[in-house]
Amino acid sequence: MNLIRTIAGIIVLLMFAGTSYGQTSAELKKQRERITQEINLLNQSLKATSNSKTLTLRQVNALNTQITLRERKISTISSETRLIDRQIQENTQEIKKLEDQLEKLKKDYASMIRFAFRNKNGYNKMMFIFASKDFNQAFKRVKYLQQFSESRKNQAQEIEKTQKTIQNKIAELAANRKEKVDLLNEQQEERNTLNAQKADKSKVVNSFASQEKEYKAEITKKQQEASRLERAIQAAIRKEIEEEQRRAAEAARVLAELEAAKEAARAKAAGEPAKPVAVAKPAASTSASSVLSATPEAARLSNEFMGNRGSLPWPVAQGTITQGFGQHTYGAGVKMENNGLNIRTNNGAAVRAVFDGEVRSVVQMMGAGYAVIIRHGKYFSVYSNLKSVSVTRGQKVTSKQTIGTAATDPDEGTTEVHFEIWEGSAPINPTPWLARF
């Protein structure tokens, strides 16, 4: 029976090991599929702009992003193959253990069969029982014969079960090997495509010399748009700070009036002159963040927003980042600063709020659609390059609520949303705040 329990324990362990691997493998597979979707999205937009003789910044960003995504996909496939190699090794070892256990079970079963054959006639069994010294011993011998028969049946069932487990493991091993071959083929295809795209990128880099003037003009235009957006954001935040300061001053004045009324009532009852009550001034705040999170409601919303760092939904349901936060260099001396993320998405895609909050500004940008600014306590999320807007100033919004639709460039046919996060009066990198697909 100890042997039977050992076999059962091995089977249970194999089941749990398979589950753990399945979860890890599923995550990697989902990541690979997500990267493939992003690559396909960029392919569609690049095909739509491939006839243009002059490369634009968006096309250059798309090419760079494609190369990065393919490198990530190749790395993901490498991780998947390493997991498969490990499972192949584990399954091979487990099959060997099960075969050894099966051999032991068969030997034990053969011994039972030989014993049963030697005592197969009823006469020998009856003599074995009647040879007992007393009734108790005879009863025990009857039970022993019954248990022996039951044990033989159980042993046969365990042999059959172990054989099936071995067959299943062998089939799983074959599937693992086939999956590995398929992944390696896909990885090689990705490497070939990557090499071709790197060659295309080299041509693009060489074209910067001849098109540097055009790129600088386009970057100047983009920087002007970014400056207009930044001024609009700063103005909205200043307005919020001023309103918070006015509310604090008003609250202090009301409190002072109440204190003065109390003092007047006390003095009248005591027949004394009332003492002057000083109006308490709101504490001077050294930062915009402290002013914006001064009230309990704002502090709570700020903490909730901060608590969701790394798990905020994306501002679009499907998209890929074509330009990240920070400074970017194109060619020799052609630089551009980005306060947020440029996210390529599908035509007509819905743009949604990343967290609960209140719309504090809806701005129509000159030549760049609309921008929406939503406040989350001391944090602000900004959504620009919107074709249309479905919210108004002062409106409460919830996480993933649609606030507008993404605008499509009429010349290129590409659709990009610009997204920013501000803490107080300073922009911060949104990438660590968004959930990973």
Side-chain angles (χ1 to χ4, degrees), residues 15 20-21 58 110 127 139 186 207 211 223 227 251 257 261 275 284 308 329 338 342 344 373 422 424 434:
M15 289 171 63
S20 174
Y21 169 80
R58 288 181 178 176
M127 288 298 295
F139 179 77
E186 183 177 357
S207 72
Q211 298 185 21
Q223 287 175 334
S227 296
E257 289 179 353
K275 296 178 181 179
N308 280 271
T329 303
N338 191 350
N342 294 346
R344 185 74 55 91
I373 303 172
W422 287 59
L434 297 177

Side-chain angles (χ1 to χ4, degrees), residues 206-224:
N206 293 333
S207 72
F208 271 106
S210 60
Q211 298 185 21
E212 185 174 347
K213 185 182 293 184
E214 289 85 350
Y215 280 118
K216 285 185 176 179
E218 186 179 358
I219 285 177
T220 300
K221 180 182 176 183
K222 296 291 183 186
Q223 287 175 334
Q224 289 172 349

Side-chain angles (χ1 to χ4, degrees), residues 128-395:
F128 176 66
I129 294 169
F130 287 138
S132 305
K133 295 179 180 179
D134 51 35
F135 177 79
N136 285 337
Q137 190 179 53
F139 179 77
K140 289 179 180 178
R141 289 187 176 187
V142 169
K143 294 299 291 181
Y144 168 77
L145 291 173
Q146 290 175 346
Q147 290 173 356
F148 179 81
S149 177
E150 187 66 26
S151 178
R152 192 174 63 185
K153 291 179 184 177
N154 291 338
Q155 197 82 342
Q157 290 174 355
E158 287 300 323
I159 288 172
E160 184 179 359
K161 188 187 296 185
T162 305
Q163 286 174 329
K164 288 182 179 179
T165 303
I166 291 173
Q167 291 171 358
N168 291 337
K169 279 293 169 187
I170 290 173
E172 186 179 338
L173 195 60
N176 292 153
R177 286 171 175 155
K178 182 181 182 302
E179 184 180 3
K180 180 181 176 180
V181 170
D182 293 342
L183 282 173
L184 289 174
N185 290 335
E186 183 177 357
Q187 187 179 54
Q188 187 57 48
E189 290 177 5
E190 291 296 331
R191 284 198 175 106
N192 294 338
T193 306
L194 179 62
N195 291 333
Q197 286 184 336
K198 284 184 176 179
D200 290 340
K201 182 182 176 181
S202 297
K203 294 178 183 177
V204 170
V205 171
N206 293 333
S207 72
F208 271 106
S210 60
Q211 298 185 21
E212 185 174 347
K213 185 182 293 184
E214 289 85 350
Y215 280 118
K216 285 185 176 179
E218 186 179 358
I219 285 177
T220 300
K221 180 182 176 183
K222 296 291 183 186
Q223 287 175 334
Q224 289 172 349
E225 293 173 2
S227 296
R228 284 196 294 270
L229 178 62
E230 184 173 349
R231 287 195 297 271
I233 295 169
Q234 292 281 14
I237 293 173
R238 279 197 304 272
K239 190 173 182 179
E240 291 298 304
I241 293 172
E242 289 169 0
E243 288 183 3
E244 290 292 346
Q245 289 173 334
R246 278 197 298 270
R247 279 193 285 267
E250 178 63 18
R253 185 188 65 78
V254 171
L255 181 62
E257 289 179 353
L258 289 173
E259 291 296 329
K262 288 181 182 178
E263 172 59 20
R266 184 198 66 77
K268 184 178 180 181
E272 301 175 356
K275 296 178 181 179
V277 176
V279 178
K281 293 183 179 180
S285 299
T286 57
S287 69
S289 295
S290 58
V291 174
L292 293 167
S293 58
T295 66
E297 182 182 359
R300 176 187 59 79
L301 197 55
S302 299
N303 290 333
E304 289 176 356
F305 189 87
M306 188 186 303
N308 280 271
R309 189 177 191 273
S311 60
L312 293 177
W314 280 48
V316 289
Q318 184 181 18
T320 184
I321 298 171
T322 54
Q323 190 182 67
F325 180 87
Q327 190 178 80
H328 301 270
T329 303
Y330 301 89
V334 183
K335 297 181 180 180
M336 184 175 179
E337 190 75 27
N338 191 350
N339 282 341
L341 305 175
N342 294 346
I343 303 174
R344 185 74 55 91
T345 186
N346 298 315
N347 291 352
V351 181
R352 57 195 191 177
V354 299
F355 199 71
D356 299 349
E358 183 178 341
V359 178
R360 299 312 301 154
S361 184
V362 177
V363 185
Q364 186 169 11
M365 306 298 296
M366 187 172 60
Y370 293 90
V372 176
I373 303 172
I374 300 176
R375 181 179 171 186
H376 319 275
K378 69 176 181 178
Y379 295 96
F380 295 85
S381 58
V382 182
Y383 315 76
S384 64
N385 199 33
L386 273 58
K387 178 183 178 182
S388 61
V389 175
S390 56
V391 292
T392 57
R393 187 180 188 278
Q395 181 178 338

